[in-house]
Each structure stands twice: as structure tokens, then as C-alpha cells.
Amino acid sequence: MTHHNLQDNPLLDLSGLPRFDLLSPEDVQPAIGELLSRCRGLIETLAADGVAATWADFAAPLADGFEQLSRAWGIVGHVHSVNDVPEWRDAYNQMLPEVSRFYAEVGQNLRLFAKYKAIAEGSEFATLSSAQQRVVEHEVRDFRLAGAELPAASKPRFQAISEELAQLAARFSENLLDATNAFSELVTDANELSGLPDDVRQAAREAAERDGASGWKFTLHMPSYLPVMQYADSRRLRAAMYRAYATRAAEFGPAELDNTPLIRRLLELRREEAQLLGYGSFAEVSLVPKMAESVPQILAFLRDLATRARPFAERDVADLRDFASRELGLQPMEAWDVAYVSEKLLQARYAFSEQEVKQYFTEERVLSGLFSAIETLFDVRLRPDEAPVWHEDVRFFRIENPAGELVGQFYLDLYARETKRGGAWMDEAIGRRRLRLQSPAGSSDAIQKPVAYLNCNFSRPVGEKDGRPRPAIFTHDEVSTLFHETGHGLHHLLTQVDEPGVAGIHGVEWDAVELPSQFMENYCWEWSVLQGMTAHIDSGESLPRALFDKMLAARNFQSGMQTLRQVEFSLFDLLLHSDFDPAGERSVLELLADVRREVAVLVPPPWHRFPNSFSHIFAGGYAAGYYSYKWAEVLSADCYGAFEEAGNPFDQSTGDRFLREILSVGGSRPAIDNFRAFRGRDPQVDALLRHSGMIAV
Ligand SMILES: [Zn+2]
């Protein structure tokens, strides 16, 4: 269906839920083009000198205008993710550069910056709500970090640094990918396949055939590399693959793929950028919009965690070495033996089948378990609801308060499809917002209620029993993923903030945004919840306790070693971006060696070039931010600890407090204030250690 008139364009109808029933790819260009030009016109109008720098005259109408664009473009992005057919991909890709260019322009618009700054410094500021103040503060902060306040003479240099940094990051990834692709190991002796699962052998055989070779071809891509390291009995094969993987994009390979010079350059430029902005190091810049306050604070956090996890990590390694020599005759245990020995030890200690566990998690039982957990915790009701959807698999629900009033709505799209992007994610369809309605009777206020998309890639129902289709069944990992994404969804849906810029997950510090999602995962490990949430697909029985105990033990397997590994990466990242001088005497590898001497229990061989493939910090968004994985885990575990202390995972007053102080305030208040208001103190690592089985005895 083509909608020739803008009035009929369903993407421009933002009066309610997205019109997935009317929408077609041809609507994208006209609607988004129209909204971009409306936004540009609005900026021209509002940035003019005659417009007062006040909330009502400037910030509110600008936010309203931008919301139209982000909602419409959000719908396009969503359909592109869940129905990635050529027509939609083209429609999305056609407008993506224009939308990106628009937001880049806005970020550099100094007239908008001047207005926000005037609001921040004006007399009205003290009279604004705290949410409005925070919106203004975030705007001013982001303009500053983008270089808006630099003296004119420094701006070209700042711009040049930004561009070179973007190019270096892209090259880092490309080199890593090319180096990964450049290696393969062709096995011609079938004896070397011993231990490998059939599907992995089959894939290796087909890969060799595609090259016109006989034998089995293994590569450094995860689906090939990981099973070799985990299962291959051939030590030679594991050693060869390990060495190739560990030395990717380093000086041992072709010079044009070596990431070493890029790392040095990236660090130098980040340091220079930080200095231009008036900060001592790049880590300080990175921390401005984060919850963590300072480099020393994070260093202390990581070192404390390392000290507490160390005895458990040492025991993990001792167990491994012992098992390797006693049961497998591997002595000394080498780096390329670790994953292999770990897998064998895990099987020997806690063998259970994922397939067996899966039979207990039937779709309806899992959903009713999830919904009743939410209802009990946050005193709301979840009910099926109606809406146009993008695929027949999609279900739609509404959340009501006890008085029956609408709180929010969400779509649930559980099953994998070929046209759906991988993984699981939450996205927002509509954000909570106060609407200023004008009518002949005067103006009045109403609240626009939030709507979310929850997307997963689980297997759909297969087969029949007694003439009826069998329900879908999920692995425990999948159930945990569903709870995780629902946690993000609740953050968005249960917000009570009316300013979209800081409602729900908006404006929440980057290192705190995983708190509600990881918090919800805890309920998948709660025995009382699991009993109600499981029913065997054939017998209807709930999960046996003995099986649950094995799952729990496997969950905590090597948690000490894993914790120290994460601390090692985090410390390295943070030190590299704070007190390390890229132009100085000490090399990046020497810094890494120092970090390992301090915290590691397993030290890789000297030729290992870990930094050359550390994309998170050199090509991703995690520079001076890798610590946030552990940071957020501590927050969520500590919040769950409050329920444990109350003696009930559904304790009513604790649930009320979590809703009131964390979920409903979103980004309208600093995350540390939310945490303190909920917990009555600063975060502590004890709950995380306890949940990971690291309990000092
Ligand atoms: Zn998440």
C-alpha cells in the first residue's frame, strides 16, 4: 500500500500505537524526510535570538518536536530489526545517513547550546522540577564533551582528532577481522578429530569442501574455534589454534594487519582530546556521564573484588591442575589446555543435560511465572491486550495499577525468524510524557503512557501431542534472557517521570543501566519461583530439586577465576586510559604484565597479544568503561540482597521501595542517589560474591 498524501502516511500518525497494519516501506522516505525538515524548521525558530531561553518557550517545544522524529524513526528501526526483508532494509538504509547527519548537526549546534546554557545559568532554573533540571544539565554536559566550549583556535584540532579516532577504531576492527579470516587449520588425519561433536566435524568438513580440499578445515571464528579448545583431544590442534588466535593482528603476522601502532595512536589521541577538554586523562572524560565518580574509586573497587575473589580463584586453578594431571595426564597444564580441562572437570562434577532441563520450561508456564513475579513485586496487573502487530507471532499486553488504570503496554515477540536480528533486546515504542492539550475549553494535561518492544530469538513450538500442538520449550539461559529484557522493559514502563529525556532508561548512567535487567535475572535462580514456573512438557511435573542443585553448582563453576579475569581486563583498561603515558618508556604490554602480576591466577604465554584484539576498548564504546560489567553486577546483586535480608524474594515493602526509588525515577536522579535511597547505604560487593558461591568460610 502506498500512501501518497502525507496526511495518510501511517508513520506520521503518532496519536497512538504504531500502525503496523498500515505501514509499508514506501512510507519511510516521505515521512522521515518530512519530520527531518519539520525538526530543522523548529530548530531555526527556537534558536532565534527573540526566543526566550526558558523551559516553556524553548526546551519543551524542542523536546516535543524531536520526540516525533525519534518515535517515527524508532518504528522504522524496529521493523528493520524484526522484519529485515530487502524492501525494509533498503528503506531503512536509505534514510539512515540523513537521520545520522541530522543528529550530528544538532550536537554541534552552538545556538542550541547557548540556549540550554542560558537556562542552566538563569533565574528560572531553580524553579524547574528536578527532572527538568537534569535534562538541561545533561544537554549542557553533552555539548561540552562534544567540544562546544573550546576556544575557536582549538576546534579544528578537536574535530580532526575525533575523525582520526573514528577511522582508527574502524581500522582496528577491520584488521582483527581480516587477521581472523586469514588463518585456517586443515586437518587431514581423522584421529585428530577425537572428542569433537559431530556437528562441528560436519561443519569443518563442509568448510574444507568449499575450498576444494579434502579433510577438515578449522578457523578462528567462534563456532569453530571454541569447540576445538573445549573438546578436541588433540593437544597439537588446540595448541596451534590457540597460538593463532592469541597472536591475531600482531607483529607476527602481516605488517598491514598489525594493530600495535593503532593502539599507541588511539591512546595518544584520546589523551590529547581529554587535555583539550580540560581533563587530566581520557578516563576522567569517560567517567563524566557515568555513575562511578573517579578513577581511584574504581581502582579501589576492582582491587577489593580481586582480593576477595582470589582464594576462590586459586582453588579453581589448583582443582584444574590437579584434575589435568591426575585424570588427563596433562602436566604441566598449558594455556591451550585450560578450556579443555575445564569442560572435562565440569562434566565430571556436575553433568546434567541442557536438553533435560529444557523439558520443564514450557512457554505458558514461564510467562505466567514471569508475570506473577512482576505482579507480586510491583503491585500491578498484566493482561492480554489488542494492537496492530508486525507478525502473527507477536503478542501484546497491558500493565494496570490495582485501580485498573493503564500504566503501560508491551509487545512480546519471542520466536526466532530468518528476518529477525539475532539476540534479545528491549526497545521503546513510546515514552512516558506529559502532554499539554489545547482545547476550546482551555489547556489541560494528560500523560502519554509508555510502550515497549520485548524481542527474543527462542525456538518456536514444534510437533503435536494428542492432536494438539506442543508448547514451545525454553532453555534456562533463554528464560534468564527473558527476565533480563523484561527488567529493561519495566524500567521503561514503570517510570513515573514525565520528561522524556530522563524518563525510564533515558539519562540513566551507562554503568548503572543494567541494574534492573540483571536484578530480574535473580528470580530465575530462586527455587520457589522455579517450582511455580516449570511443568514438564510430558509429565507436567515441576523441576526436581536435585537437577536444580546441579544447575546452581554449574553456574558457580570457576566463578573465582572468571571474576579475576574480568578484573584483569578492567584494571588494564582503566590504567591504560589514566596514568599510562603512550609516549613514555613503558609499553602497553608491560602495563598488562604488571596488571597480571597483581591480579591474575593464570598467566598466558609471553607471546600472547591480548591488547591487539581487545575490541571492546579500542573499537567499541568501552574505553575506560570495561569495569562497568562488574560494577552493574554488584549493584543488581546488592539490590537483590535487600530482598534476601527481608527473608522473602517478594517482600512487599522492599518491592515498593525498589519501584519507588529505582525503577520509577529512572534517569531523573543520579544512580548513586537512587541506590542509596533504596539500600540506605553505598553498594557492597558481598551479595555478588555470595550469589557466585564465593562465601568465605
Ligand atoms: Zn541488558
Side-chain angles (χ1 to χ4, degrees):
M1 206 178 330
T2 313
H3 304 93
H4 296 287
N5 295 319
L6 283 176
Q7 297 95 298
D8 300 334
N9 192 310
L11 268 180
L12 293 173
D13 174 9
L14 298 169
S15 59
L17 295 166
R19 300 305 309 263
F20 294 112
D21 49 342
L22 302 177
L23 196 57
S24 74
E26 294 83 53
D27 298 322
V28 174
Q29 195 281 328
I32 301 299
E34 166 69 14
L35 289 169
L36 283 171
S37 79
R38 279 189 210 166
C39 281
R40 286 202 169 93
L42 185 67
I43 291 172
E44 277 313 302
T45 310
L46 294 177
D49 290 342
V51 173
T54 63
W55 183 267
D57 292 329
F58 171 76
L62 191 65
D64 287 349
F66 281 17
E67 195 233 4
Q68 306 265 303
L69 173 64
S70 75
R71 258 173 76 185
W73 182 241
I75 294 169
V76 177
H78 175 69
V79 176
H80 172 247
S81 300
V82 294
N83 184 28
D84 188 8
V85 294
E87 304 78 56
W88 271 105
R89 181 181 295 193
D90 291 346
Y92 176 79
N93 285 335
Q94 186 193 358
M95 293 312 285
L96 179 63
E98 292 202 36
V99 174
S100 308
R101 194 179 323 127
F102 170 77
Y103 285 115
E105 278 166 26
V106 172
Q108 293 300 325
N109 189 318
L110 296 182
R111 294 189 304 159
L112 295 181
F113 176 51
K115 291 275 193 232
Y116 280 118
K117 222 167 74 162
I119 299 179
E121 289 161 3
S123 57
E124 185 203 20
F125 189 76
T127 69
L128 297 179
S129 72
S130 59
Q132 291 167 338
Q133 289 181 347
R134 207 150 156 83
V135 169
V136 173
E137 285 165 356
H138 284 180
E139 291 290 350
V140 171
R141 174 196 76 191
D142 293 344
F143 274 109
R144 280 190 176 135
L145 291 179
E149 270 192 337
L150 291 177
S154 304
K155 282 196 174 170
R157 178 64 194 144
F158 188 84
Q159 189 58 33
I161 291 174
S162 305
E163 283 164 21
E164 193 180 342
L165 279 173
Q167 287 161 5
L168 286 166
R171 268 219 25 228
F172 187 98
S173 292
E174 289 162 13
N175 285 351
L176 187 58
L177 183 62
D178 290 350
T180 303
N181 290 334
F183 176 88
S184 65
E185 176 81 12
L186 189 68
V187 169
T188 49
D189 177 359
N191 291 323
E192 278 217 300
L193 304 177
S194 167
L196 286 172
D198 287 342
D199 59 330
V200 178
R201 294 177 187 215
Q202 183 62 27
R205 170 116 234 167
E206 286 168 14
E209 276 167 10
R210 277 195 296 277
D211 288 357
S214 58
W216 298 265
K217 180 183 169 184
F218 294 96
T219 72
L220 300 181
H221 291 283
M222 282 300 128
S224 182
Y225 178 73
L226 275 186
V228 168
M229 299 314 295
Q230 244 177 327
Y231 301 111
D233 295 328
S234 163
R235 207 179 192 189
R236 186 213 65 82
L237 180 60
R238 293 201 310 270
M241 297 280 285
Y242 179 88
R243 187 173 180 115
Y245 191 81
T247 54
R248 285 173 303 158
E251 74 271 28
F252 312 108
E256 69 274 16
L257 297 185
D258 186 0
N259 275 339
T260 314
L262 273 59
I263 291 173
R264 196 161 273 275
R265 185 78 184 138
L266 273 161
L267 292 170
E268 280 169 5
L269 290 174
R270 283 174 181 169
R271 198 179 167 90
E272 189 184 348
E273 182 186 53
Q275 282 162 351
L276 282 173
L277 289 171
Y279 293 90
S281 70
F282 182 79
E284 288 178 22
V285 179
S286 160
L287 293 188
V288 174
K290 294 193 171 82
M291 174 182 174
E293 279 161 18
S294 69
V295 173
Q297 182 198 26
I298 305 170
L299 291 176
F301 160 72
L302 292 171
R303 287 179 166 137
D304 175 42
L305 199 55
T307 307
R308 313 241 332 237
R310 181 156 207 104
F312 301 93
E314 281 170 349
R315 199 197 56 199
D316 290 341
V317 174
D319 285 358
L320 262 188
R321 290 214 167 97
D322 181 53
F323 188 83
S325 83
R326 233 171 359 95
E327 304 289 328
L328 305 169
L330 294 173
Q331 200 180 20
M333 182 179 72
E334 302 285 1
W336 42 93
D337 299 327
V338 173
Y340 177 77
V341 178
S342 297
E343 179 61 29
K344 291 273 181 288
L345 180 58
L346 180 69
Q347 289 306 322
R349 275 193 188 166
Y350 314 115
F352 69 88
S353 134
E354 279 292 339
Q355 276 307 313
E356 184 190 352
V357 172
K358 204 175 166 180
Q359 308 304 313
Y360 291 93
F361 290 100
T362 44
E363 176 174 336
E364 286 313 306
R365 195 52 86 98
V366 167
L367 284 187
S368 75
L370 171 66
F371 286 11
S372 91
I374 296 168
E375 293 181 338
T376 318
L377 266 173
F378 305 123
D379 197 19
V380 290
R381 304 292 158 255
L382 274 67
R383 309 209 184 288
D385 203 351
E386 299 283 329
V389 294
W390 54 92
H391 189 277
E392 58 183 12
D393 288 345
V394 181
R395 297 159 76 178
F396 190 65
F397 299 91
R398 63 193 278 119
I399 304 180
E400 294 173 355
N401 66 17
E405 293 158 349
L406 180 69
V407 174
Q409 293 161 296
F410 64 96
Y411 302 86
L412 187 61
D413 186 359
L414 284 177
Y415 309 138
R417 288 188 298 274
E418 274 194 0
T419 53
K420 196 187 205 176
R421 159 188 139 195
W425 70 99
M426 188 287 289
D427 222 335
E428 57 174 270
I430 300 177
R432 184 183 164 104
R433 188 166 69 108
R434 183 170 296 277
L435 303 169
R436 294 137 192 107
L437 303 175
Q438 301 293 336
S439 74
S443 69
S444 62
D445 276 10
I447 299 294
Q448 171 177 294
K449 299 294 165 62
V451 181
Y453 306 115
L454 298 184
N455 310 285
C456 300
N457 267 283
F458 303 162
S459 16
R460 62 179 58 250
V462 282
E464 284 191 353
K465 197 194 176 197
D466 305 331
R468 288 207 314 234
R470 286 162 74 87
I473 50 174
F474 304 142
T475 66
H476 185 259
D477 258 3
E478 288 172 338
V479 174
S480 183
T481 299
L482 177 63
F483 273 67
H484 179 104
E485 297 309 330
T486 303
H488 285 307
L490 292 171
H491 207 180
H492 177 65
L493 294 166
L494 300 183
T495 193
Q496 290 297 313
V497 178
D498 300 336
E499 298 302 338
V502 290
I505 58 175
H506 287 278
V508 176
E509 292 92 324
W510 193 77
D511 45 356
V513 82
E514 294 294 331
L515 194 170
S517 52
Q518 293 178 349
F519 168 82
M520 286 303 294
E521 287 181 40
N522 286 288
Y523 289 89
C524 301
W525 291 102
E526 196 60 65
W527 175 234
S528 62
V529 175
L530 284 175
Q531 282 171 292
M533 199 165 71
T534 48
H536 193 279
I537 186 166
D538 294 321
S539 70
E541 279 169 32
S542 68
L543 188 74
R545 177 75 207 200
L547 187 51
F548 174 65
D549 287 340
K550 283 187 190 171
M551 291 161 62
L552 208 53
R555 176 202 193 192
N556 293 336
F557 181 62
Q558 295 183 336
S559 55
M561 257 170 63
Q562 300 303 342
T563 301
L564 284 198
R565 212 171 124 82
Q566 290 298 104
V567 169
E568 176 188 324
F569 298 167
S570 307
L571 263 183
F572 172 59
D573 164 42
L574 199 62
L575 292 172
L576 202 55
H577 289 104
S578 52
D579 73 346
F580 179 76
D581 177 4
E585 288 286 292
R586 193 160 66 144
S587 73
V588 169
L589 286 174
E590 281 164 339
L591 172 71
L592 181 58
D594 287 345
V595 168
R596 283 178 174 155
R597 262 191 290 280
E598 186 186 340
V599 297
V601 281
L602 278 175
V603 177
W607 40 259
H608 199 298
R609 291 292 177 268
F610 169 71
N612 297 45
S613 60
F614 199 5
S615 309
H616 272 86
I617 68 165
F618 294 121
Y622 280 82
Y626 197 85
Y627 73 92
S628 60
Y629 283 108
K630 277 290 153 203
W631 187 269
E633 274 181 54
V634 165
L635 298 178
S636 56
D638 203 5
C639 284
Y640 195 69
F643 290 84
E644 294 172 314
E645 284 161 24
N648 175 3
F650 296 104
D651 181 70
Q652 199 59 68
S653 75
T654 314
D656 286 349
R657 207 166 65 243
F658 189 75
L659 175 62
R660 194 175 62 239
E661 305 295 358
I662 299 206
L663 290 181
S664 69
V665 291
S668 69
R669 190 169 65 175
I672 186 64
D673 294 354
N674 295 353
F675 187 93
R676 285 177 182 143
F678 170 67
R679 207 61 175 96
R681 57 162 173 75
D682 280 350
Q684 292 175 358
V685 300
D686 305 68
L688 177 64
L689 294 170
R690 194 169 66 241
H691 296 163
S692 319
M694 291 189 272
I695 307 157
V697 283

